[in-house]
């Protein structure tokens, strides 16, 4: 089984999901830690083909136990396809919902036979996929999983009815119909247009009752999951204690999970290392030399490492009336930010050769990656010239235009590492007469109350990527003002929309990569957002925890996670 933010965050084959995650420890801590004699695990930040999870045969593990993990904020909804969901929520419910495929450490995809007996691409003109559901698969109330569940989810996520408040429509918007196959356990999906990453569809499948109407989709799973079908189900949701507990699904038809329960607690990032040391958590993400050193020196804790598909970035707000509405201004500001300087400062000593991320679609080490960032290459002299040309003239230390100062609000999760990134950018921008105001918020409701409504000029958070990179394009970078999906900055163009359509329609992988990189350069030229760097993937776990840790590109086998005897 699989998953696609903190504790380790493998996840099922959702194409893309966002969450606020720590990119690294504070710069001053990184510099202070460089002289330590403690051996620290470092390596390339490039995505690879291995993981580090303490693999053990489940038969040799203890039967039972509670796995204790942390999340940044309490979920605004338990519907992972809703616009108010985030990566934390997606991870929680991934233990409980069906998905068609899983991946190994190299990112190679295969059918998840716990849920689907067979999945076949049977035709390319029109593109047709036949899904045969495992005959044993049932929802948590005992009802069977059928083709109607796929049909209902496809329609809800298609984007045809904008009353469904969906996070993304990629792939589903291209489906013409979902029909019954030889019986209720088979769905025949026919596309109106080709979709290159069709294997990423129907991840975290929900019961038809939750997707049948916009009201059901938007409200049914606000406080918990009405129905689920994984090896675990939600046992309790305690908003007062900020805790979610999962337990074994009594109707689960597959291998019996080794764990009895999984407990997620909302915990401030600054408190997590102490919670791990005090035996209150079993696994957390660690980043920055100080955190990694502390975890390494803690008895009973092991730091595991495998580069993961996460990256930090700046998103700009280009909505009408915003101070950064002009794409030329966004590009000028981008050129004034030293992304390589930020990357070096925050990843030095953790990554052998820290490199800024220069692609919105592909990660370093992933097939298709190339540097398309020339339009925003660091050049403060050129940035200043562009600002002058745009009419933003220096008045003292801050530029002004038409009586308005060039003051930019940068919002982010309340965490030292995010603030350190912002402080370096603040210093960079001050050199060209732009004042950056740093504004932090707690994890709870950061997206629903601040970022989703567009209450920012710049925003810092991380994208959790997947082995299906093209799905990010329609979700994040295409722009429809009537249905913004995950385009938080409301930035785009008809030309980019058309190119994205070409990319996701291309069934030739080599041609799709070529078109995707063309789209990526256009995204840079629009000043849509600014990638910073990708995660090195360090995870501190309790010794004796097996089949869990730094997953890299691999899926999580939830029934195999457990503790050694």
């Amino acid at each position: 089984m699989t998953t696609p933010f903190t504790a380790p965050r493998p996840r099922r084959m959702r194409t893309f999901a966002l969450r606020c995650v720590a990119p690294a420890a504070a710069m001053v801590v990184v510099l202070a830690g460089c002289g330590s004699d403690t051996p620290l695990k470092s390596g390339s930040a490039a995505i690879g083909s291995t993981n580090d999870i303490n693999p053990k045969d489940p038969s040799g593990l203890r039967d039972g136990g509670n796995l204790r993990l942390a999340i940044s904020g309490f979920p605004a909804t338990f519907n992972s396809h809703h616009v108010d969901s985030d990566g934390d929520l997606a991870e929680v419910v991934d233990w409980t919902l069906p998905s068609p495929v899983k991946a190994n450490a190299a990112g190679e995809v295969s059918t998840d036979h716990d849920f689907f007996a067979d999945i076949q691409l049977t035709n390319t003109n029109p593109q047709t996929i036949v899904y045969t559901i495992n005959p044993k698969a049932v929802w948590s109330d005992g009802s069977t999983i059928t083709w109607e569940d796929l049909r209902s989810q496809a329609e809800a996520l298609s984007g045809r009815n904008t009353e469904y408040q969906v996070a993304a429509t990629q792939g589903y918007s291209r489906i013409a119909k979902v029909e019954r196959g030889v019986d209720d356990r088979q769905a025949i999906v026919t596309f109106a247009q080709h979709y290159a990453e069709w294997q990423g569809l129907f991840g975290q499948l929900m019961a038809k009752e939750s997707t049948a109407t916009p009201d059901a989709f938007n409200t049914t799973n606000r406080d918990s999951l009405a129905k689920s079908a994984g090896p675990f189900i939600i046992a309790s949701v305690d908003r007062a204690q900020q805790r979610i507990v999962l337990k074994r699904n009594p109707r689960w038809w597959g291998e019996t999970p080794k764990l009895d329960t999984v407990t997620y607690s909302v915990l401030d990032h600054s408190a997590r290392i102490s919670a791990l040391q005090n035996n209150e958590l079993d696994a957390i993400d660690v980043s920055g030399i100080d955190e990694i050193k502390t975890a390494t020196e803690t008895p009973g804790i092991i730091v595991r490492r495998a580069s993961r598909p996460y990256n930090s970035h700046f998103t700009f707000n280009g909505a009408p009336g915003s101070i950064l509405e002009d794409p030329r201004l966004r590009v000028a500001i981008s050129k004034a930010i030293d992304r390589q300087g930020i990357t070096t400062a925050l990843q030095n000593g953790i990554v052998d050769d820290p490199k800024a991320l220069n692609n919105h679609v592909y990660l370093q080490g992933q097939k298709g990656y190339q540097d398309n960032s020339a339009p925003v290459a660091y050049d403060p002299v050129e940035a200043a010239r562009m600002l002058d040309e745009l009419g933003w003239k220096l008045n003292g230390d801050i530029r002004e235009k038409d009586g308005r100062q060039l003051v930019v609000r940068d919002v982010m999760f309340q965490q030292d590492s995010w603030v350190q990134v912002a402080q370096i950018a603040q210093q960079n921008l001050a050199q060209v007469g732009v004042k950056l105001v740093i504004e932090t918020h707690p994890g709870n409701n950061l997206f629903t109350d601040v970022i989703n409504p567009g209450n920012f000029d710049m925003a810092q958070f991380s994208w959790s990527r997947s082995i299906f990179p093209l799905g990010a394009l329609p979700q994040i970078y295409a722009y429809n003002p009537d249905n913004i999906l995950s385009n938080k900055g409301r930035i785009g163009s008809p030309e980019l929309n058309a190119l994205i359509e070409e990319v996701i329609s291309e069934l030739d992988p080599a041609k799709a990569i070529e078109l995707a990189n063309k789209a990526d350069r256009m995204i840079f030229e629009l000043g849509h957002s600014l990638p910073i760097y990708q995660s090195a993937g360090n995870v501190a776990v309790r010794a004796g925890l097996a089949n869990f840790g730094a997953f890299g590109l691999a899926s999580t086998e939830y029934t195999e996670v457990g503790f050694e005897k």
Side-chain angles (χ1 to χ4, degrees), residues 309-363:
Y310 296 164
N311 75 275
S312 56
H313 79 290
F314 294 98
T315 274
F316 297 108
N317 188 349
S322 65
I323 195 168
L324 301 181
E325 179 179 1
D326 188 339
R328 297 170 298 172
L329 178 56
R330 298 193 296 268
V331 169
I333 286 177
S334 297
K335 292 179 77 68
I337 296 175
D338 184 2
R339 295 183 301 119
Q340 183 57 51
I342 292 173
T343 303
T344 300
L346 275 81
Q347 290 197 326
N348 186 36
I350 304 164
V351 174
D352 291 340
D353 182 19
K355 285 185 170 65
L357 179 64
N358 294 314
N359 197 299
H360 292 88
V361 185
Y362 300 103
L363 293 168

Side-chain angles (χ1 to χ4, degrees), residues 31-164:
L31 298 177
C34 290
S36 171
D37 294 329
T38 303
L40 301 179
K41 187 180 293 188
S42 67
S44 171
I47 291 294
S49 59
T50 60
N51 60 12
D52 188 1
I53 62 170
N54 187 25
K56 299 291 181 182
D57 189 318
S59 64
L61 300 180
R62 175 159 53 96
D63 186 28
N66 175 40
L67 177 64
R68 299 161 300 173
L69 304 173
I71 52 178
S72 301
F74 207 83
T77 175
F78 283 78
N79 177 354
S80 59
H81 302 290
H82 193 277
V83 70
D84 288 343
S85 69
D86 60 20
D88 279 338
L89 181 276
E91 183 202 336
V92 171
V93 300
D94 206 51
W95 298 74
T96 73
L97 291 173
S99 284
V101 297
K102 57 184 179 179
N104 63 16
E108 297 165 334
V109 175
S110 61
T111 299
D112 190 332
H113 291 294
D114 277 331
F115 299 108
F116 289 86
D118 190 43
I119 301 173
Q120 292 290 333
L121 171 65
T122 59
N123 196 0
T124 57
N125 191 22
Q127 185 178 1
T128 306
I129 319 295
V130 177
Y131 294 83
T132 303
I133 301 164
N134 184 329
K136 297 179 181 178
V138 296
W139 294 109
S140 50
D141 64 352
S143 59
T144 58
I145 299 175
T146 74
W147 72 279
E148 292 180 308
D149 297 306
L150 278 74
R151 179 182 65 177
S152 185
Q153 180 153 313
E155 183 58 33
L157 301 184
S158 69
R160 286 186 279 270
N161 184 344
T162 57
E163 291 183 23
Y164 286 93

Side-chain angles (χ1 to χ4, degrees), residues 146-365:
T146 74
W147 72 279
E148 292 180 308
D149 297 306
L150 278 74
R151 179 182 65 177
S152 185
Q153 180 153 313
E155 183 58 33
L157 301 184
S158 69
R160 286 186 279 270
N161 184 344
T162 57
E163 291 183 23
Y164 286 93
Q165 297 171 18
V166 302
T169 62
Q170 67 266 29
Y172 299 102
S173 63
R174 309 172 84 80
I175 292 175
K177 57 185 176 180
V178 179
E179 300 173 290
R180 183 179 186 270
V182 295
D183 57 25
D184 284 347
R185 294 286 196 167
Q186 189 175 81
I188 301 174
V189 179
T190 304
F191 288 77
Q193 299 167 280
H194 284 164
Y195 183 56
E197 292 184 331
W198 58 269
Q199 289 174 298
L201 295 175
F202 300 107
Q204 297 193 334
L205 179 67
M206 302 188 74
K208 60 186 178 183
E209 293 87 348
S210 294
T211 56
T213 67
D215 182 65
F217 182 86
N218 297 332
T219 64
T220 298
N221 298 287
R222 272 287 165 186
D223 299 318
S224 187
L225 275 176
K227 292 169 71 169
S228 55
F232 290 82
I233 60 174
I234 294 176
S236 64
V237 175
D238 190 334
R239 290 187 179 273
Q241 296 296 319
Q242 298 279 281
R243 186 176 297 122
I244 301 164
V245 179
L246 313 178
K247 68 177 182 180
R248 290 178 181 175
N249 179 0
R251 296 186 184 274
W252 175 245
W253 56 92
E255 292 293 327
T256 301
K258 302 307 297 184
L259 295 170
D260 282 324
T261 55
V262 181
T263 299
Y264 283 96
S265 300
V266 176
L267 195 62
D268 185 81
H269 185 86
S270 62
R272 293 180 185 188
I273 193 74
S274 295
L276 186 72
Q277 292 175 309
N278 295 334
N279 196 23
E280 297 165 358
L281 291 175
D282 295 308
I284 61 169
D285 284 354
V286 286
S287 50
I289 286 179
D290 188 60
E291 275 193 351
I292 296 171
K293 178 177 179 292
T294 299
T296 301
E297 294 177 342
T298 299
I301 299 299
I302 298 172
V303 176
R304 305 196 181 279
R305 187 185 191 284
S307 298
R308 73 183 72 189
Y310 296 164
N311 75 275
S312 56
H313 79 290
F314 294 98
T315 274
F316 297 108
N317 188 349
S322 65
I323 195 168
L324 301 181
E325 179 179 1
D326 188 339
R328 297 170 298 172
L329 178 56
R330 298 193 296 268
V331 169
I333 286 177
S334 297
K335 292 179 77 68
I337 296 175
D338 184 2
R339 295 183 301 119
Q340 183 57 51
I342 292 173
T343 303
T344 300
L346 275 81
Q347 290 197 326
N348 186 36
I350 304 164
V351 174
D352 291 340
D353 182 19
K355 285 185 170 65
L357 179 64
N358 294 314
N359 197 299
H360 292 88
V361 185
Y362 300 103
L363 293 168
Q364 295 167 16

Side-chain angles (χ1 to χ4, degrees), residues 377-511:
Y378 178 55
D379 189 342
V381 173
E382 175 62 11
R385 188 199 65 77
M386 293 175 66
L387 291 169
D388 283 333
E389 188 177 82
L390 292 169
W392 291 97
K393 303 297 185 180
L394 272 175
N395 184 0
D397 293 330
I398 304 174
R399 292 179 180 269
E400 290 185 355
K401 181 179 180 180
D402 300 328
R404 185 181 190 183
Q405 287 189 320
L406 190 47
V407 177
V408 177
R409 292 170 50 247
D410 182 16
V411 308
M412 68 209 69
F413 180 52
Q414 187 174 309
Q415 183 180 325
D416 288 346
S417 49
W418 285 118
V419 173
Q420 285 294 325
V421 171
Q423 287 174 336
I424 298 173
Q426 186 182 55
Q427 294 166 9
N428 295 156
L429 291 170
Q431 293 174 7
V432 297
V434 179
K435 182 178 180 179
L436 186 73
V437 176
I438 299 171
E439 185 177 303
T440 62
H441 294 264
N444 277 341
N445 303 322
L446 171 64
F447 285 94
T448 55
D449 293 350
V450 182
I451 293 178
N452 289 353
N455 186 18
F456 64 93
D457 299 321
M458 292 170 58
Q460 293 174 216
F461 56 94
S462 286
W463 287 117
S464 169
R465 305 207 187 188
S466 88
I467 57 175
F468 300 117
L470 302 185
L473 288 166
Q475 178 186 353
I476 302 167
Y477 305 107
Y479 180 53
N480 175 357
D482 296 323
N483 191 15
I484 66 168
L485 301 176
S486 296
N487 190 335
K488 307 300 183 183
R490 296 157 174 82
I491 295 169
S493 71
E495 294 78 14
L496 179 57
N497 286 355
L499 182 53
I500 287 172
E501 284 295 304
E502 276 192 73
V503 176
I504 62 176
S505 299
E506 182 53 64
L507 297 183
D508 179 339
K511 181 65 173 175

